[in-house]
């Protein structure tokens, strides 16, 4: 199949007077892993629900596999929601069997980590194992498109790495994949990133594309809490990295004036910006801060 497997064209969704998604256009190509980033409330889940045909658009259009997200096209889709979409009062085997029959697919073979848990109720599994089951269920019918909403949230590093191996393997066989994540290390594994803020798509491209010319200043002070409070009160876009203070898109001389006025001794050093800092800058721009 050629062309985008998922596409939104100038999509808007309103709930009464509230606009959850505002004029967003995006696409996912075959074999591409696209990361959808943004703070809670940015509009990511609403956009996903429209892409899946679970809620209607207020304006604009959605395409799934070349047409509207109807029942037939959704059968060619794999979806792992934040809540995993499993039945807690069914066993692992029963969940996978039910899902396979719903899609007319063969029941997947359990990996070694789950073979001894086939008859365990899903609700009794640790979260990492539940996520493995959810992935197996989503992949049983070899979907052409995968939509993964926070697929590794709450799992350990090894389980997360294994799930990402699965994601990359699906992309290599040609599936288009849209994945949301709060982990910037995972964002770096995506082929392309989409950044949402306040319902709008504010940036897209590689990590370097999104960071662009944004800079940052590292502030080293004996009393880091007092320094943070002073800069925050002055309206600076401050972030903490441990006890290290970082300020995005700031003028070092202006920061020094704020700290001097508060009687705080500190050293300032220009540093490369991170994608989190770029996200903060864009969020402040879209909400008028």
């Amino acid at each position: 199949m050629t062309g985008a497997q998922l596409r939104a064209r100038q999509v808007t969704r309103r709930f009464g007077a509230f606009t959850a998604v505002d004029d967003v256009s995006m696409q996912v190509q075959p074999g591409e892993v696209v990361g959808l980033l943004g703070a809670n409330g940015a509009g990511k889940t609403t956009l996903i629900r429209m892409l899946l045909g679970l809620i209607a658009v207020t304006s604009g259009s959605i395409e799934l596999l070349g047409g509207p997200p109807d029942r037939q096209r959704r059968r060619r889709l794999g979806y792992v929601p934040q809540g995993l979409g499993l039945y807690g009062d069914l066993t692992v085997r029963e969940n996978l069997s039910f899902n396979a029959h719903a899609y007319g697919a063969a029941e997947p073979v359990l990996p070694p980590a789950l073979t001894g848990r086939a008859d365990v109720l899903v609700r009794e599994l640790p979260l990492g194992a539940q996520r493995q089951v959810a992935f197996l269920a989503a992949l049983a019918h070899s979907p052409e498109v995968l939509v993964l909403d926070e697929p590794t949230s709450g799992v350990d590093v090894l389980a997360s790495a294994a799930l990402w191996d699965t994601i990359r393997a699906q992309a290599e066989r040609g599936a288009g994949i849209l994945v949301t994540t709060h982990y910037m290390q995972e964002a770096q594994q995506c082929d392309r990133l989409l950044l949402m803020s306040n319902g709008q798509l504010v940036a897209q491209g590689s990590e370097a594309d999104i960071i662009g010319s944004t800079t940052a200043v590292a502030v080293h002070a004996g009393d880091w809490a007092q320094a943070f409070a002073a800069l925050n009160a002055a309206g600076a876009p401050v972030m903490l990295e441990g006890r290290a203070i970082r300020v995005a898109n700031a003028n070092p001389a202006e920061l020094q004036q704020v700290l001097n006025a508060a009687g705080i001794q500190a050293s300032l050093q220009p540093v490369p910006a991170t994608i989190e800092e770029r996200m903060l800058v864009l969020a402040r721009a879209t909400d008028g801060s």
Side-chain angles (χ1 to χ4, degrees):
M1 176 180 171
T2 59
Q5 292 177 317
L6 272 179
R7 188 191 302 274
R9 287 189 173 96
Q10 295 181 297
V11 166
T12 294
R13 173 66 197 200
R14 298 187 184 91
F15 297 94
F18 174 68
T19 301
V21 173
D22 185 8
D23 195 28
V24 169
S25 296
M26 51 76 67
Q27 62 183 12
V28 179
Q29 297 289 336
E32 184 180 35
V33 180
V34 177
L36 181 60
L37 310 181
N40 291 333
K44 304 187 302 297
T45 298
T46 301
L47 176 60
I48 285 174
R49 293 181 69 196
M50 289 189 291
L51 289 168
L52 298 177
L54 300 178
I55 59 174
V57 302
T58 301
S59 62
S61 64
I62 295 291
E63 287 183 14
L64 168 63
L65 295 165
D70 56 21
R71 186 183 297 258
Q72 286 301 113
R73 289 187 177 87
R74 286 203 299 266
R75 291 178 64 86
R76 298 155 62 190
L77 169 95
Y79 177 41
V80 179
Q82 286 188 32
L84 300 182
L86 301 172
Y87 297 96
D89 55 352
L90 297 183
T91 67
V92 170
R93 191 192 313 276
E94 289 168 339
N95 267 278
L96 294 177
S97 178
F98 175 81
N99 184 81
H101 279 87
Y103 282 97
E107 190 172 327
V109 176
L110 291 176
L114 291 174
T115 50
R117 294 169 163 173
D119 296 313
V120 176
L121 295 179
V122 161
R123 67 167 177 259
E124 296 176 358
L125 293 176
L127 182 56
Q130 290 186 29
R131 291 200 178 279
Q132 282 186 295
V133 176
F135 263 65
L136 284 172
L139 298 176
H141 58 296
S142 300
E144 298 166 54
V145 180
L146 270 176
V147 177
L148 310 172
D149 200 355
E150 301 287 342
T152 64
S153 178
V155 304
D156 62 35
V157 174
L158 290 178
S160 175
L163 292 175
W164 269 95
D165 285 344
T166 301
I167 291 170
R168 294 305 323 183
Q170 295 302 308
E172 288 169 7
R173 71 167 180 82
I177 301 171
L178 180 66
V179 55
T180 72
T181 180
H182 281 102
Y183 303 122
M184 293 306 107
Q185 298 92 332
E186 293 186 356
Q188 293 169 354
Q189 299 191 56
C190 297
D191 300 313
R192 188 163 51 86
L193 300 174
L194 306 173
L195 179 56
M196 290 190 70
S197 179
N198 295 303
Q200 299 175 352
L201 183 63
V202 293
Q204 59 181 306
S206 67
E207 182 179 14
D209 292 334
I210 290 175
I211 292 173
S213 60
T214 302
T215 59
V217 177
V219 179
H220 305 280
D223 190 336
W224 63 269
Q226 186 180 8
F228 182 92
L231 293 170
N232 188 53
V238 290
M239 298 185 71
L240 276 179
E241 191 175 75
R243 294 186 176 182
I245 300 169
R246 295 174 61 99
V247 188
N249 254 20
N251 183 319
E254 293 176 356
L255 297 181
Q256 191 70 68
Q257 288 179 353
V258 171
L259 295 169
N260 289 344
I264 300 169
Q265 291 190 344
S267 62
L268 283 71
Q269 175 187 9
V271 292
T274 65
I275 194 166
E276 293 99 325
E277 287 162 341
R278 179 58 176 162
M279 288 170 65
L280 176 60
V281 170
L282 289 169
R284 289 167 65 95
T286 56
D287 67 15
S289 298

